[in-house]
Amino acid sequence: MTTTAAPATGGPASPSYTAAGTFPEHLVRRDFAGLGDTVAETAYFQALVPRGLREWTGPDGVREAFTGWFGDLDDFDVVEAVVGGVGERLHLRWRARARGEKLDGVWCLVEQEMYADTDDSGRLTRLRLLCSGFCPEQARSGA
């Protein structure tokens, strides 16, 4: 997995980067409980996915969303993750390869991009996510 982390300014990383940095780490391991621990109790999460706009609240909602998307896959490998910022807002992006029964056993790519605000403790509070959906990989030459 390629990971890039870049604070929004030239100074030291703010506390918000702590949650932002651990979010992709939990995702890589499909540790949905840990992923939810990076989110504030009052968090509001919106995701634009191929089926439309979805909304959840709190850590349990975030856990539910990610468990539904990635929890039952046979194979899941985050191949790239980027953490950065736009002003005080966090920017996270990841791309993964996945395979599972719900994907008809076909290897797929999925990319998600998220912007999030944080509270004073560094937990994520307002999360907005855009998802590519699961896209079948192109046949590899020579395969």
Side-chain angles (χ1 to χ4, degrees):
M1 173 182 77
T2 303
T3 305
T4 307
T9 66
S14 68
S16 62
Y17 279 89
T18 303
T22 59
F23 193 95
E25 292 172 13
H26 292 298
L27 184 61
V28 165
R29 294 189 308 269
R30 288 193 283 179
D31 172 11
F32 304 115
L35 194 135
D37 290 343
T38 66
V39 176
E41 288 295 324
T42 58
Y44 176 67
F45 178 35
Q46 285 185 317
L48 184 56
V49 297
R51 294 183 182 175
L53 182 65
R54 301 289 187 254
E55 299 174 287
W56 298 267
T57 57
D60 289 338
V62 171
R63 288 181 193 107
E64 174 189 325
F66 282 89
T67 300
W69 295 329
F70 305 127
D72 61 351
L73 296 170
D74 297 325
D75 297 291
F76 180 79
D77 182 29
V78 175
V79 295
E80 182 180 13
V82 177
V83 176
V86 179
E88 293 181 11
R89 183 158 290 142
L90 296 172
H91 173 236
L92 298 93
R93 182 177 58 81
W94 50 87
R95 177 179 293 177
R97 292 184 73 230
R99 184 172 59 172
E101 186 176 328
K102 74 178 180 183
L103 303 174
D104 297 324
V106 174
W107 278 103
C108 293
L109 291 173
V110 61
E111 185 167 302
Q112 295 182 324
E113 190 153 359
M114 184 170 73
Y115 292 92
D117 296 329
T118 58
D119 62 15
D120 291 339
S121 70
R123 293 189 187 275
L124 306 176
T125 57
R126 292 185 61 81
L127 302 88
R128 302 280 200 286
L129 181 136
L130 177 64
C131 181
S132 67
F134 291 99
C135 304
E137 281 189 333
Q138 298 296 323
R140 296 182 184 177
S141 60

